[in-house]
Amino acid sequence: MLAGAIYHFVTSVSAANEIAIGLATPSPTGITLKLWTTHDSAFDILGAWSINDEKYYIHADYLLHDFSKFRVNESKMPFYYGIGFRIKEEENEDTTLGMRIPFGIAYFMQSAPFEVFGELGPRVDVTPQTNFGLDIMIGIRFRINPMQ
């Protein structure tokens, strides 16, 4: 079953043919990778870590994009939303697992292969204890083989 899910993920990402990589900050701050599966859906993964403090953070979201909300000349500016999960581990503490419901706005530059985005991610951690929070990010990604 896991092999089938991985196969579906890889073939759907390669069918869309666009990948974007970049940076996001301030909470969390890390490297972001966006893998498009169709013209309006993508997987977004963010990873952050600290070598000195022995801690890491990872979240993965499935996002849907609505390109009809905003009109910006020749560029594209979709509203997006989705669902995902997060894992956070800090030295001498239990691993935190939780869910995210991110939404935001992205701006795809027409003249350059970049995406600038702003995102809010309400979240609920379920282990080791229930905790609510909000991720707030702005970032930029370099788009490899951008879709038109």
Side-chain angles (χ1 to χ4, degrees):
M1 184 173 212
L2 178 61
I6 292 171
Y7 174 78
H8 175 71
F9 174 75
V10 170
T11 55
S12 62
V13 168
S14 62
N17 216 20
E18 180 178 329
I19 297 173
I21 188 166
L23 299 172
T25 192
S27 175
T29 297
I31 296 173
T32 175
L33 178 67
K34 192 170 193 178
L35 308 165
W36 288 86
T37 57
T38 66
H39 173 71
D40 61 357
S41 64
F43 287 100
D44 177 32
I45 302 164
L46 183 129
W49 62 94
S50 172
I51 297 170
N52 297 334
D53 297 333
E54 295 184 20
K55 58 184 176 181
Y56 71 87
Y57 172 93
I58 298 170
H59 78 227
D61 303 320
Y62 179 71
L63 303 175
L64 297 173
H65 298 73
D66 183 350
F67 288 89
S68 67
K69 293 279 186 209
F70 305 103
R71 300 285 180 204
V72 184
N73 298 328
E74 307 246 340
S75 298
K76 296 177 182 175
M77 194 166 138
F79 170 76
Y80 66 88
Y81 55 94
I83 190 163
F85 69 92
R86 71 185 219 121
I87 301 171
K88 180 179 177 184
E89 184 171 305
E90 295 187 34
E91 185 178 20
N92 300 325
E93 292 189 23
D94 292 332
T95 300
T96 302
L97 300 174
M99 265 182 35
R100 291 172 27 91
I101 303 175
F103 60 93
I105 296 174
Y107 178 74
F108 296 88
M109 297 179 188
Q110 183 68 23
S111 60
F114 290 99
E115 170 190 356
V116 178
F117 64 93
E119 178 178 299
L120 295 175
R123 59 178 158 77
V124 58
D125 295 327
V126 293
T127 65
Q129 61 189 22
T130 303
N131 185 25
F132 297 91
L134 180 67
D135 296 333
I136 302 170
M137 294 187 299
I138 57 171
I140 187 166
R141 294 185 188 101
F142 176 72
R143 299 169 63 208
I144 301 167
N145 201 20
M147 294 183 289
Q148 297 303 324

